[in-house]
């Protein structure tokens, strides 16, 4: 046994009091700790301490598997588990603590829109609310990596001050299909935006000295049968679409941890996939942290360890026993466990808990609310604005507010990505805060209806939302023509909010009331626009949604449409900042608003089909932590790399609003697009002048797309290769933006050669304000083919 007194650099476990005998490197400290551990302790650290949820009695029995922490025939282990789970009530997972060995617990807590912990604790009046920031889709719509870095800084500060070590975020799966129930937790249909946003977020969070877990690695693009679905995907699509964002995040931000996903890829659970977790992640990308499973993911703990999935979360009794036996029976060498432990302990040395940080439990929630309000407004997208309906003129004060969601605004989606915030500002509250007079008669009709409807409503149909306290919007209220006419008499403007919510464990559906508006919503928009237009008054629709909905059939009825997404706890205030022009909207879509669901390139392969012949060993599958059924299921990514705008723009599919779209209260002119050379060698620089040609200050998102020559491989008509955002340009002001396009940006992935290859030929850079509004272009050529990067050859074989 190595004495802990030899371990320098560690506080909090007694070592601080005595002078270290000799300075040790981090690697030496880690190896000394590992050498001091018994096999049991090693396994108890590799496998989490179970899931602890302090459930109400009514739910305890149903969700017994969730409510249980592991207890072993080892009293000191049991005492340790009971102790550490109290470190942060509501955190999703805790790794073991062995104080006598200098090992501190790592507290892991969700999630992408803010820290998720219990806001209240037994026997305490103190509250532990966290800031609900806008959902990831809204963050990406800012196209502003600096701002996202600031959000990460604020979010990470709450992680630190509430005593967590690792934030289980950002979520960065590709929004492959508009109906994935967790799209709100993800950034975009495009891997570049996804990667850049995630890198900014990781850097921001980790600047606090706490960690992140980029998730869910990889190709976790649906919730239907998420624990068993087998994703059939080509290596090219995997590399170019589903892994590219993760690669950017790893190389630009070194997240402390990566969370493997629930699904299989080409027959193998991602958590048991050595190609993915070792060859790609570590050899090709240089990842230095540790990998944890998603909660209950995979089925074979030995294969997981061998694949490089270092930590099993949340961990079960059975897994601990299995892994100990596997070592004793020679099925896995203890040195594999030591390698997994090395990664876990190397990160542990950086954690606040290890460093003995005394968290305050009092982050500056007010300052963070200000950040949330700002970023929410920056992420809103002005979809329609006929005759400059918006901003609302300063002398207009009398508003009629329709739509149940106006009164119960949705800050974020459900499931583990749901934050327990102190409040959500509804649109009605936001308008009042902004000095507007709301029609109280109408407000009362709505609030009475909502109270009655809520009282009659059962639990949400999504079981996980029900378990975690998520809410479904109440059914929209029918309004009469008389009521709408009366309001049109009394008020200057009508506002209608359309709301949607979804979350983990359930995908959305291409039906009325979900992807499509239902009859009541459609009638509401038609009646209100009819009544108000008859009086020469305007109607504004606000979309309070977490994912794409159909807009084409109704978007021309109102005078303005604002996509506010689910904008976090300051929701109503942020919407009003945009409606009044305090903030000039500059958000752009990072996901296409398609015309109808069946236009999606994935529509015929979502959410997949049952596997006829049972290829899944169900007994093995259930050895992990899970009471969710594992239906043998597969989904074929037949669209290959043609996801989102890569399909719509290549195949000229009409859409409601294209990728990159968004209006402003001002106008911009692009000029002077210049390349530093016309022949590509290692990189090429493109500059463009952007001028605010309107009358109010504003910011413009400038998008750079590349059309490449096609030699052997099919390619999209164009691909986003860079983007930038101007500063706030005053009317008449210009700014020159510079973009550097590197060799890798010219490449497609050649599976046969396991290489990123740029074809020789003529390339065109297109600079624009959306993927279909390209204001200028410039061509350059590449004299001969370049093999820019060669990577590991994949086999997709089990590591077991
Ligand atoms: C989710 C993860 C989450 C974890 C812990 C899982 O069900 O898929 O995103 O981090 O639970 O709450």
């Amino acid at each position: 046994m190595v004495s802990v007194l030899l371990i320098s650099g560690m506080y909090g476990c007694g070592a601080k009091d005595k002078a270290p005998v000799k300075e040790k490197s981090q690697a030496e400290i880690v190896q000394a700790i590992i050498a001091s551990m018994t096999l049991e302790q090693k396994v108890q650290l590799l496998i989490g301490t179970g899931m602890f949820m302090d459930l109400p009695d009514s739910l305890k029995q149903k969700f017994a598997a969730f409510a249980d922490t592991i207890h072993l025939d080892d009293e000191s282990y049991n005492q340790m588990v009971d102790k550490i789970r109290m470190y942060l009530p509501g955190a999703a997972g805790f790794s073991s603590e062995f104080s006598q060995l200098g090992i501190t617990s790592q507290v892991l807590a969700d999630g992408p829109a803010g820290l998720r912990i219990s806001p209240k604790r037994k026997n305490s009046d103190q509250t532990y609310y966290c800031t609900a920031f806008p959902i990831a889709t809204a963050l990406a719509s800012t196209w502003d990596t600096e701002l996202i870095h600031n959000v990460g800084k604020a979010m990470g500060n709450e992680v630190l001050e509430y005593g967590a070590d690792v934030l289980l975020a950002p979520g960065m799966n590709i929004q492959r299909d508009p109906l994935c129930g967790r799209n709100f937790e993800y950034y975009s249909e495009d891997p570049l935006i996804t990667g850049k946003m995630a890198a900014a977020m990781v850097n921001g969070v980790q600047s606090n000295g706490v960690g992140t877990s980029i998730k869910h690695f990889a190709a976790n693009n649906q919730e239907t049968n998420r624990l068993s679905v087998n994703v059939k995907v080509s290596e090219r699509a995997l590399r170019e679409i589903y892994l590219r964002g993760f690669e950017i995040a790893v190389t630009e931000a070194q997240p402390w941890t990566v969370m493997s996903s629930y699904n299989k890829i080409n027959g193998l659970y991602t958590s048991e996939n050595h190609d993915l977790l070792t060859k790609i992640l570590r050899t090709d990308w240089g990842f230095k942290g540790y990998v944890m499973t998603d909660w209950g993911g995979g089925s074979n703990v030995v294969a997981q360890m061998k694949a490089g999935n270092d930590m099993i979360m949340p961990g079960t009794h059975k897994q601990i026993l299995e892994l100990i036996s596997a070592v004793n029976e020679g099925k896995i060498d203890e040195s594999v466990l030591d390698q997994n432990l090395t990664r876990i302990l190397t990160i542990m040395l950086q954690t606040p808990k290890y460093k003995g940080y005394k968290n305050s439990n009092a982050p500056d929630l007010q300052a963070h609310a200000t950040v949330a309000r700002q970023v929410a407004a920056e992420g809103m997208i002005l979809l329609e604005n006929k005759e400059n309906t918006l901003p609302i003129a300063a002398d207009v004060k009398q508003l009629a507010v329709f739509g149940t969601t106006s009164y119960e605004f949705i800050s974020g989606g459900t499931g583990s990505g749901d934050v327990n915030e102190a409040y959500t500002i509804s649109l009605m509250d936001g308008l009042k805060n902004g000095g507007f007079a709301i029609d109280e008669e109408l407000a009362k009709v709505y609030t009475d209806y909502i109270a009655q409807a809520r009282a009659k409503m059962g639990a949400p149909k999504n079981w996980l939302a029900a378990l975690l306290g998520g809410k479904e919007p109440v059914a929209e209220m029918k309004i009469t023509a008389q009521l709408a006419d009366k309001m049109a008499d009394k008020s200057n403007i009508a506002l209608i909010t359309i709301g949607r919510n979804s979350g983990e464990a359930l995908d959305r559906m291409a039906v009325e009331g979900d992807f499509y508006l239902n009859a009541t919503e459609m009638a509401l928009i038609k009646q209100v626009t009819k009544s108000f237009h008859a009086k020469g008054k305007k109607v504004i629709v606000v979309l309070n949604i977490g994912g794409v909905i159909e807009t084409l059939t109704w978007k021309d009825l109102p005078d303005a449409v604002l996509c506010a997404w689910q904008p976090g706890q300051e929701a109503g205030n942020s919407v009003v900042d945009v409606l009044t022009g305090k903030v000039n909207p500059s958000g752009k879509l990072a996901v296409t608003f398609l015309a109808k669901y069946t236009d999606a390139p994935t529509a015929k392969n979502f959410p997949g089909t049952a596997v006829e012949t049972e290829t899944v060993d169900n007994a093995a599958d259930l050895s992990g932590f899970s009471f969710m059924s594992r239906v043998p299921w597969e989904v074929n990514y037949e669209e290959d790399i043609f996801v989102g705008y890569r399909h719509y723009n290549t195949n000229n599919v009409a859409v409601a609003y294209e990728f990159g779209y968004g209006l402003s209260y001002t106008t911009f002119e692009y000029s002077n697009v210049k390349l530093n050379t016309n022949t590509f060698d290692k990189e090429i620089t493109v500059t463009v002048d952007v001028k605010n040609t309107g009358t109010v200050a504003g910011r413009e998102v400038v998008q750079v797309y590349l059309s490449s020559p096609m030699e052997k491989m099919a390619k999209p008509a164009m691909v986003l290769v860079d983007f930038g955002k101007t500063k706030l340009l005053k009317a008449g002001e210009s700014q020159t933006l510079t973009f550097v396009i590197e060799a890798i940006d010219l490449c497609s992935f050649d599976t046969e050669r396991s290489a990123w290859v740029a074809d020789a030929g003529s390339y065109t850079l297109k600079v624009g304000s959306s993927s279909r509004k390209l204001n200028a272009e410039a061509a350059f050529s590449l004299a001969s083919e370049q093999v820019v990067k060669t990577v590991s050859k994949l086999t997709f074989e089990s590591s077991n």
Side-chain angles (χ1 to χ4, degrees), residues 403-414 449-450 453-454 457-462 465 470-477 497-503 513-514 518 521 544-546 566:
T404 50
T405 307
S406 295
Y407 299 85
E408 282 197 327
F409 225 69
I410 305 161
S411 57
T414 63
Y449 166 82
I450 291 167
R454 280 251 166 257
M457 251 173 117
K461 61 177 181 298
N462 181 340
K471 278 210 275 183
E472 272 171 359
V474 297
E476 190 50 74
M477 187 184 84
T497 304
I498 299 292
R500 290 287 182 273
N501 208 359
S502 75
D514 197 340
N518 65 22
E521 292 168 327
N544 181 200
I545 55 181
Q566 292 168 344

Side-chain angles (χ1 to χ4, degrees), residues 92 110 168 182 215-216 226 259 262 294-295 416 504:
D110 285 303
L168 303 173
R182 286 186 97 169
K215 69 187 187 184
H216 310 87
R226 63 177 177 158
M259 188 189 294
Y262 282 131
D294 197 348
W295 268 231
S416 60
E504 188 178 351

Side-chain angles (χ1 to χ4, degrees), residues 676-697:
N676 65 335
T677 166
N678 292 108
T679 48
F680 191 92
D681 184 19
K682 288 199 174 54
E683 59 179 42
I684 203 159
T685 302
V686 52
T687 49
V688 60
D689 294 343
V690 179
K691 182 175 182 190
N692 180 348
T693 48
T695 52
V696 290

